[in-house]
Amino acid sequence: MNSEYPFTRFAPSPTGYLHRGHILSALCVYAAAEKFGYRVRLRIENHDQSRARQAYIDAIREDLEWLGFTWDAESIQSANTERYERLLERLRSKGLIYACNCSRKFTFETNPTNSDGEIIYQGHCQNLGLPFTKDHAVRFKTPNENIEWEDLLLGKFMENPKELCGDFALKDRIGQWTYQFAVVADDFEEGIGLVVRGEDLKHSTSRQIVLAQALGRTTPPLFLHHPLIVDPMGKKLSKREHAASIRGERDKGKSAEALLGEVCAKAGIIKKTQLLSVKDSIQLVKNRLF
Ligand code: GLU
Ligand code: ZN
């Protein structure tokens, strides 16, 4: 563990209530924290102000406490505007960003997409010299290079972020900070040395590494992407599709111990469901993962 970066983080977005998938994610964060000697930060990722709700923010803390988790530090992205402005200015002064006024429709019509359905932005606005005004997006001049990293669970990766996503956005056309930018800025300045998150985000890693480098971070965080719990159709659980929420289960009378046991069973960590404390669940996940 690098003393400049003593934290790992659990970083849910308050765009819905937490569900079983979040419990597994939190257990993996705490298991990795124990295994590798990190402290845990809870970070509320409300960069998308159009979808975030105060009720969901309050529920994140309540649900985690009800399950028995405690954390060493907490932050919320809506309090970090000064950080994002300052770091964006750092990139601007190095000539690493440009303004973009492509509409959503035009962007989709004129750029290819990758296998995750994301735009590979080809740089339409790069040489237009558009001003950095409120209604323009801001894009990063993604370097065209192969990035290698070793995931603590999944092993070695090599990806070229330019080929994967092109010049990705740091701020959108309605002035909101994007997930990629907010996460990299926060991981850098909140002392995050280990990123633990679901496998669905593994292809964000190479672009996050190059962006962190451009911001002046000399050692990128370590990364660990864990498997997801899937629904009976094999799809990842999603708030948008109303995966049963933790508080819904609680209101129906389920105990935290029963829910933790179920999650461990669904994730294949134990054979069949049993009552488990948060501490025992973390130990089981730790033994299973490492
Ligand atoms: N806020 C993201 C989510 O809830 C997680 C971001 C990350 O761990 O990098 O999916
Ligand atoms: Zn553009």
Side-chain angles (χ1 to χ4, degrees), residues 51-195:
R51 288 174 57 218
R53 298 280 175 276
Q54 186 59 44
Y56 298 141
I57 295 176
D58 299 338
I60 288 173
R61 298 193 190 97
E62 281 171 27
D63 292 349
L64 290 174
E65 279 168 3
W66 177 74
L67 288 163
F69 290 104
T70 56
W71 47 96
D72 306 301
E74 187 176 319
S75 50
I76 182 159
Q77 289 181 324
S78 51
N80 297 345
T81 307
E82 179 280 331
R83 166 183 302 160
Y84 305 143
E85 297 286 2
R86 177 169 45 75
L87 292 180
L88 195 73
E89 175 52 29
R90 186 177 298 174
L91 296 175
R92 197 200 55 76
S93 68
K94 293 189 195 171
L96 294 177
I97 57 175
Y98 58 92
C100 162
N101 69 354
C102 297
S103 68
R104 204 181 144 72
K105 185 164 177 281
F106 180 79
T107 306
F108 272 94
E109 282 168 0
T110 57
N111 294 284
T113 49
N114 66 23
S115 57
D116 286 339
E118 293 173 316
I119 289 292
I120 311 172
Y121 188 81
Q122 305 288 296
H124 178 269
C125 294
Q126 167 153 10
N127 298 315
L128 300 184
L130 297 169
F132 290 102
T133 50
K134 253 194 1 254
D135 51 350
H136 288 165
V138 175
R139 290 187 179 276
F140 178 56
K141 294 183 186 169
T142 306
N144 189 1
E145 59 185 80
N146 284 325
I147 298 298
E148 283 184 58
W149 82 95
E150 182 151 1
D151 188 283
L152 293 178
L153 272 192
L154 303 176
K156 283 197 194 323
F157 279 82
M158 190 169 74
E159 262 175 17
N160 182 333
K162 188 77 159 191
E163 287 168 5
L164 191 68
C165 60
D167 292 347
F168 56 97
L170 307 182
K171 200 175 189 177
D172 68 18
R173 296 200 319 147
I174 57 168
Q176 300 202 107
W177 305 103
T178 63
Y179 157 67
Q180 303 293 352
F181 182 63
V183 154
V184 173
D186 292 339
D187 286 345
F188 184 18
E189 297 212 340
E190 292 179 349
I192 306 296
L194 170 64
V195 170

Side-chain angles (χ1 to χ4, degrees), residues 210-280:
V210 289
L211 183 55
Q213 237 162 26
L215 289 171
R217 180 167 182 159
T218 45
T219 29
L222 299 168
F223 290 91
L224 186 160
H225 292 89
H226 64 78
L228 303 174
I229 304 184
V230 292
D231 69 13
M233 303 299 285
K235 273 179 59 194
K236 89 166 212 197
L237 301 181
S238 127
K239 282 180 275 209
R240 285 197 220 191
E241 283 157 38
H242 307 297
S245 68
I246 296 173
R247 59 189 36 215
E249 297 297 300
R250 184 182 79 183
D251 292 347
K252 280 194 272 171
K254 189 163 289 188
S255 69
E257 289 72 18
L259 197 51
L260 285 160
E262 259 179 43
V263 166
C264 288
K266 263 200 182 0
I269 289 155
I270 51 176
K271 283 214 177 65
K272 66 183 206 336
T273 183
Q274 65 183 84
L275 299 182
L276 285 178
S277 68
V278 85
K279 211 160 160 251
D280 290 344

